[in-house]
Amino acid sequence: MKIQVWKALARGVWLESIRRKDLYVVGILGFLIVVSASALGFFGLNGLEAFAKDLSATVLGLFSTIIAVLTASRMLPEEIKNRTLYPLLSRPITRFDLLMGKLIGSVIVTWTGFLILTTLTGLALMMFHVHFEATMLQYIVAKMMGLVVICSISVMLSTYMTPAAAATMSFVLAFGSAMILRGLTMAYDGAAPAVQGIFKFVTMALPQVHLFDFGSRVANSNWGLVPSWVMGFLFAYMVIYSGAMLSLSWWKFRKQAV
């Protein structure tokens, strides 16, 4: 029964993204990628395969993160602003069901946009005989898991902040978490023992989004496949961290006056 509710709510998010033409924008971005690759191919890609793969992975990561943040961070605030939340909550669904359905919907929209971009980019590079190894499949799977984490963070922040602030903070965490973690690690070594516990807690609380980025492995054909236990660890991290973000969202939203 719950699955049917979540499915219906996720379908609403999907239809809303179609109405907003979000996926059309993704298609246009993909077209621009193809055009850019064509310009690169005009000068020849001999010896530039690693550069082209690395650039493609960077572009895919950038655009898919933008889609995830913008889709997930605005869903709930817009439902409240447009007063469409009232008819939803008048139905026999809980606020947790509403959050879960919205999160699933945002993940589906984000995955669709990511796969469209990946397909167009792959076709553009294959036109110039740039081939991908099996690591590309691992890159796609890991990136899709990382996008789930980003969507859950954006949904959680949207229950505590305005949509603009939630989107800004989500971008900071998605793109800057690796740099922040490096700074915390350096500060931890020089901190007093009584303070080191705070650094450990902050490090564990911050999202480790960079773990899901295998772009370097895609660019370097000499690197082998990632061990299966690493993929299993990333899947477990995705489930646990996204579950924690969903719990924080529900903790705030269940008491929120709408």
Side-chain angles (χ1 to χ4, degrees), residues 91-110:
R91 298 172 182 272
I93 62 174
T94 65
R95 294 193 179 195
F96 179 81
D97 293 332
L98 184 65
L99 287 171
M100 178 62 85
K102 294 292 184 183
L103 176 59
I104 294 173
S106 66
V107 169
I108 291 174
V109 171
T110 303

Side-chain angles (χ1 to χ4, degrees), residues 58 167 196 214:
T58 303
Q196 287 182 338
F214 293 171

Side-chain angles (χ1 to χ4, degrees), residues 190-212:
V195 186
Q196 287 182 338
I198 299 176
F199 284 100
K200 287 183 179 179
F201 175 78
V202 175
T203 300
M204 287 189 295
L206 285 174
Q208 315 281 336
V209 182
H210 59 285
L211 297 178
F212 296 91

Side-chain angles (χ1 to χ4, degrees), residues 2-17:
K2 293 292 184 182
I3 295 177
Q4 293 299 323
V5 171
W6 298 343
K7 182 179 176 182
L9 291 168
R11 184 171 181 273
V13 176
W14 169 264
L15 293 176
E16 181 66 16
S17 72

Side-chain angles (χ1 to χ4, degrees), residues 162-192:
T162 63
T168 302
M169 281 300 300
S170 299
F171 281 129
V172 170
L173 292 174
F175 293 122
S177 63
M179 184 175 63
I180 296 171
L181 289 170
R182 280 197 296 270
L184 288 172
T185 303
M186 295 172 64
Y188 174 85
D189 295 332

Side-chain angles (χ1 to χ4, degrees), residues 49-91:
E49 288 84 357
F51 170 75
K53 291 178 182 178
D54 188 43
L55 179 63
S56 301
T58 303
V59 170
L60 287 175
L62 175 65
F63 285 134
S64 59
T65 300
I66 292 174
I67 295 169
V69 170
L70 295 183
T71 302
S73 63
R74 73 187 180 195
M75 291 183 306
L76 205 56
E78 288 192 353
E79 293 282 7
I80 297 174
K81 179 182 176 182
N82 298 329
R83 298 180 182 277
T84 52
L85 189 65
Y86 300 114
L88 284 175
L89 292 180
S90 65
R91 298 172 182 272

